[in-house]
Amino acid sequence: MPDATADADGLTVGQVSTRLGVTVRALHHWDAIGLARPSLRTAAGYRVYTAGDLERLHRIVVYREIGLGLDRIRAVLDGSTADVPGALRAQRAQVAMRIERLQQLGAGLDRMIDAHEHGLLLTAEQQAAIFGSGWNPDWAAQARLRYGDTTQWRQYAERSAARGPEEWQAVADAVAGFDRALGAAMDAGVAPGSPEANQLVERHREVFASYFPLSRQMQVCLGRRYEADPGFSAHYDGIRPGLAAWFRRIIDAAARAHGIDPATATWQ
């Protein structure tokens, strides 16, 4: 049904809104500030836009879409800006900067997606060079299958997305340094619950935070796995025979000092 308020010589606000994809609220605002006002009134007193008004509105929409502010648009349309090409070139430069920024954001999102899907954004050769010949490039994929729906995997992926080979080398060096300190402490007869042992437990949490934040209860759960899991126990016992079990004991002793019962600790 035709709009009863429309005049043969013009379009109502609602019709212009539909035609240009602009909200009625925006049209009313432009009218209020004198940027684009309907020039005619119908016999019933409704204000309507002429063809000339519509042309001005088209130009406003175009200039707004390229990022010009309303005051700048007014200056361009009303001729108070002598160098219109210069104003548009300046806006073009700003658009180019935004495009570059969006491209950077897009690349960052691509890395984040890859990190969530693959864990490590390193080639197999890079992984071997950083983590050693005993490293299995399939471990990251296996970890994703097992933990991909957890908060910790998401935290790990966020950290991984921001790292290249140099950053991962720093992580690997920190882990290796901790492993050496762990073996040396066991050799020195450091007792579970001692200040030296507790410092090592805290250092472990700090080093492990390179992957995701590690609560004390979660650390207790890891200590159990370090001793029980054949892969982890082989790693630690390869540094020193019995190191996996000793590592768990110092973790448990530190947890008790913070009011945590290792027997009931859960992953939280």
Side-chain angles (χ1 to χ4, degrees):
M1 178 178 180
D3 189 335
T5 65
D7 186 85
D9 294 325
L11 297 174
T12 65
V13 171
Q15 291 172 320
V16 171
S17 171
T18 300
R19 181 170 297 191
L20 297 184
V22 177
T23 66
V24 170
R25 181 177 180 180
L27 291 171
H28 283 316
H29 177 63
W30 297 347
D31 182 3
I33 65 175
L35 180 61
R37 288 175 169 164
S39 300
L40 297 178
R41 286 186 181 271
T42 66
Y46 292 101
R47 301 180 69 183
V48 293
Y49 292 90
T50 65
D53 297 334
L54 199 62
E55 173 61 27
R56 183 179 177 91
L57 285 168
H58 272 296
R59 296 179 68 193
I60 291 171
V61 170
V62 170
Y63 286 138
R64 190 179 67 160
E65 287 181 350
I66 65 173
L68 287 179
L70 295 182
D71 289 341
R72 197 75 173 273
I73 292 173
R74 186 199 306 273
V76 170
L77 294 182
D78 295 344
S80 56
T81 295
D83 185 12
V84 174
L88 295 178
R89 287 191 185 96
Q91 189 61 30
R92 177 67 179 86
Q94 293 184 29
V95 169
M97 291 174 63
R98 288 202 298 272
I99 290 172
E100 182 179 2
R101 176 58 179 156
L102 288 172
Q103 289 174 335
Q104 292 172 351
L105 289 173
L109 286 170
D110 287 340
R111 284 186 62 81
M112 188 70 75
I113 292 168
D114 286 345
H116 275 277
E117 292 181 344
H118 304 107
L120 282 171
L121 304 185
L122 300 172
T123 66
E125 293 76 14
Q126 288 172 326
Q127 293 179 47
I130 293 169
F131 303 116
S133 58
W135 177 264
N136 183 347
D138 294 332
W139 283 341
Q142 294 169 7
R144 180 180 182 273
L145 288 174
R146 185 169 183 173
Y147 305 111
D149 60 349
T150 66
T151 298
Q152 287 71 41
W153 180 265
R154 291 191 290 273
Q155 293 168 332
Y156 167 71
E158 290 165 3
R159 287 160 172 75
S160 180
R163 290 183 182 140
E166 291 183 359
E167 290 79 11
W168 276 117
Q169 185 64 64
V171 171
D173 291 344
V175 171
F178 172 76
D179 286 350
R180 289 192 297 271
L182 200 65
M186 181 181 170
D187 287 346
V190 171
S194 67
E196 295 82 1
N198 291 340
Q199 287 175 4
L200 275 174
V201 172
E202 287 304 307
R203 182 175 172 183
H204 173 249
R205 292 179 65 226
E206 292 172 3
V207 170
F208 198 92
S210 297
Y211 304 106
F212 54 80
L214 187 67
S215 70
R216 297 186 189 282
Q217 292 220 33
M218 292 162 66
Q219 188 180 33
V220 169
C221 295
L222 273 182
R224 294 178 196 152
R225 191 169 182 200
Y226 290 158
E227 183 179 20
D229 183 275
F232 281 116
S233 62
H235 168 74
Y236 287 109
D237 290 345
I239 298 171
R240 298 288 192 283
L243 185 60
W246 182 82
F247 191 11
R248 179 186 176 180
R249 287 198 299 273
I250 68 170
I251 290 174
D252 288 354
R256 291 188 191 96
H258 287 86
I260 298 169
D261 180 0
T264 60
T266 57
W267 190 262
Q268 62 182 19

